[in-house]
Amino acid sequence: MIPFLDLKRVSQQYRDELIQACKRVIDSGWYIGGQELEKFEQNFANFCGTKFAIGVANGLDALILTLRAWKELGQLKDGDEVIVPANTYIASILAITANDLKPVLVEPDEQSLNISVDAIQSAITEKTKVILAVHLYGQLADMPKIMQIAERHNLLVLEDSAQAHGAKIQGKKAGNWGDASGFSFYPGKNLGALGDAGAITTNDAELARTLQALRNYGSHEKYKNLFVGVNSRLDEIQAAMLDVKLKYLDEEIVKRRQIAASYLSQIQNPFIALPLTGSDTQQYKQHVWHLFVIQSEYRDELQSYLKENGVQTLIHYPIPPHKQEAYKEWNDLSFPITERIHAQVLSLPMGPTQTLEETQKVIELCNAFLPKGRA
């Protein structure tokens, strides 16, 4: 079976360094909030081009705490509206509702599948305070235009960069466009921990200081609590693991781009639609291909066919947030573009250790696929 992503093989590349980093933490006797965290935060901020990176427990907390911090700073209040793409993973929505804010779902752009700039513009009301720009699959949303809209309407911009570590537009990376950005280091991400982990990047010193307290029971100084905070800390071992893997992230992105280039140039099947990355060729070159997402009206049949022939695929995501039981009050809403996307998308194997032979087999099988009754 060709795995969708072989995490064991990914970690095996850096096994000795990971073990040494783990031993260093064990031998230090300091496991929370120490030098490993400080070093990774600085290195990740440098990687993204931002002044600050604040490590937290996971990517969802990164989004929740950023919105929470803006409330603490008086920039948001209960009931304020946050514009968010309807075809995102549910975590983007959970972060909004967890803060008693109102998600305003909008359709994505049909080409990039990222949030539509026109849809953002149409959704702005007097209550709109935030645009949550989700960078799906490894490609940035149209941040230059989004930032222009935000400036024009005095809106905050929060990037959901969980799938976009290292992605760029005009040389500027994910995490350095908006007022803040949430990152996930879930093991399957392009920069993945060996467990759960996340971070927030920003250039706002006051926001960074507030977040540093919120993640630590609302405290900057032990036993002195400025806010009603939470426990959401990136621990020393995960920080050390991430710092090892961060050194190799650019190399791994190059490998992902090579696989994507092979898929894009060689998969030729009228029943499979390949991902489009926008008309700007520079945009394609700066895509980091966290996922390679095709579309097909015969998605379920295609997935079964690939599985039967030894290829593992995944669906990102089968059910849109507005059709989830968790948000049953939205179940009658209609977002046709989003619903079509969720019914047709299929993610092909993609990872930095995928071999040329594995890639070629996926290509050959995709090209040979013929839906039943279409001979």
Side-chain angles (χ1 to χ4, degrees):
M1 175 71 73
I2 296 174
F4 175 76
L5 174 64
D6 191 333
L7 290 178
K8 183 176 179 180
R9 221 194 305 179
V10 171
S11 294
Q12 193 69 26
Q13 302 174 101
Y14 320 121
R15 183 176 184 275
D16 291 344
E17 286 186 73
L18 292 171
I19 289 172
Q20 287 303 313
C22 189
K23 287 174 65 177
R24 187 171 66 246
V25 174
I26 293 169
D27 292 343
S28 75
W30 196 292
Y31 308 125
I32 297 287
Q35 293 181 358
E36 299 292 342
L37 176 61
E38 291 179 9
K39 184 173 72 166
F40 173 68
E41 286 178 331
Q42 186 60 63
N43 287 340
F44 190 65
N46 292 342
F47 175 82
C48 294
T50 58
K51 293 179 180 177
F52 306 99
I54 302 96
V56 293
N58 54 68
L60 175 57
D61 280 2
L63 298 176
I64 290 174
L65 290 176
T66 302
L67 294 169
R68 172 78 174 279
W70 282 331
K71 292 183 75 174
E72 294 287 358
L73 293 169
Q75 294 174 273
L76 294 177
K77 64 181 184 305
D78 287 1
D80 283 345
E81 294 179 352
V82 180
I83 296 174
V84 62
N87 64 315
T88 187
Y89 181 54
I90 197 169
S92 309
I93 313 296
L94 292 171
I96 299 168
T97 58
N99 279 287
D100 297 313
L101 302 169
K102 181 182 177 181
V104 176
L105 307 179
V106 300
E107 292 273 43
D109 173 75
E110 290 191 76
Q111 186 173 33
S112 70
L113 306 190
N114 276 323
I115 191 168
S116 163
V117 172
D118 290 340
I120 291 173
Q121 189 67 60
S122 298
I124 293 172
T125 71
E126 292 182 356
K127 292 185 177 181
T128 305
K129 299 299 178 186
V130 182
I131 300 170
L132 205 171
V134 183
H135 307 316
L136 276 179
Y137 312 147
Q139 179 178 211
L140 265 65
D142 192 343
M143 294 310 296
K145 290 183 181 177
I146 289 172
M147 296 309 298
Q148 288 173 5
I149 293 171
E151 186 175 354
R152 200 157 55 237
H153 295 275
N154 193 30
L155 304 177
L156 294 164
V157 176
L158 174 56
E159 297 174 71
D160 184 339
S161 300
Q163 299 186 5
H165 314 69
K168 302 176 186 176
I169 292 181
Q170 300 172 1
K172 194 172 183 178
K173 287 183 180 177
N176 194 24
W177 279 93
D179 297 281
S181 178
F183 285 87
S184 168
F185 303 124
Y186 180 78
K189 303 300 185 186
N190 285 21
L191 179 61
L194 273 67
D196 258 329
I200 302 152
T201 57
T202 186
N203 291 305
D204 184 333
E206 186 178 22
L207 177 62
R209 181 168 170 77
T210 304
L211 287 163
Q212 287 162 352
L214 282 173
R215 71 175 176 184
N216 186 41
Y217 300 99
S219 172
H220 286 300
E221 184 180 343
K222 198 168 186 178
Y223 303 129
K224 293 185 179 179
N225 303 81
L226 300 176
F227 310 106
V228 180
V230 299
N231 178 3
S232 181
R233 299 177 296 205
L234 174 56
D235 67 67
E236 286 285 279
I237 283 184
Q238 293 303 341
M241 302 294 103
L242 286 164
D243 208 46
V244 169
K245 297 179 79 174
L246 179 60
K247 295 185 296 184
Y248 302 101
L249 180 54
D250 285 333
E251 294 177 22
E252 292 197 353
I253 289 171
V254 169
K255 294 174 183 175
R256 288 174 178 272
R257 286 176 177 152
Q258 291 170 344
I259 295 166
S262 294
Y263 283 158
L264 288 167
S265 63
Q266 297 180 50
I267 294 176
Q268 298 178 355
N269 186 321
F271 303 108
I272 295 174
L274 298 173
L276 298 173
T277 58
S279 58
D280 182 356
T281 56
Q282 293 303 311
Q283 177 95 339
Y284 161 73
K285 293 177 182 177
Q286 299 184 85
H287 195 313
V288 295
W289 298 103
H290 170 60
L291 300 171
F292 190 93
V293 180
I294 60 174
Q295 295 186 64
S296 177
E297 293 180 19
Y298 305 92
R299 189 265 310 280
D300 294 342
E301 186 180 345
L302 174 59
Q303 184 176 40
S304 296
Y305 158 82
L306 290 171
K307 182 180 179 181
E308 289 166 5
N309 285 277
V311 174
Q312 182 187 28
T313 59
L314 295 178
I315 299 172
H316 297 87
Y317 303 97
I319 306 172
H322 71 282
K323 295 298 184 182
Q324 298 283 358
E325 179 67 19
Y327 292 110
K328 53 183 175 291
E329 66 272 22
W330 298 343
N331 287 174
D332 292 334
L333 294 179
S334 175
F335 293 95
I337 297 172
T338 291
E339 288 157 23
R340 175 181 57 76
I341 289 168
H342 284 260
Q344 294 188 4
V345 290
L346 186 67
S347 300
L348 298 182
M350 169 62 73
T353 62
Q354 187 169 309
T355 67
L356 179 61
E357 291 75 20
E358 288 172 331
T359 301
Q360 287 303 311
K361 181 177 179 181
V362 174
I363 292 167
E364 290 167 10
L365 287 169
C366 284
N367 286 337
F369 172 69
L370 186 64
K372 293 174 183 176
R374 297 303 298 262

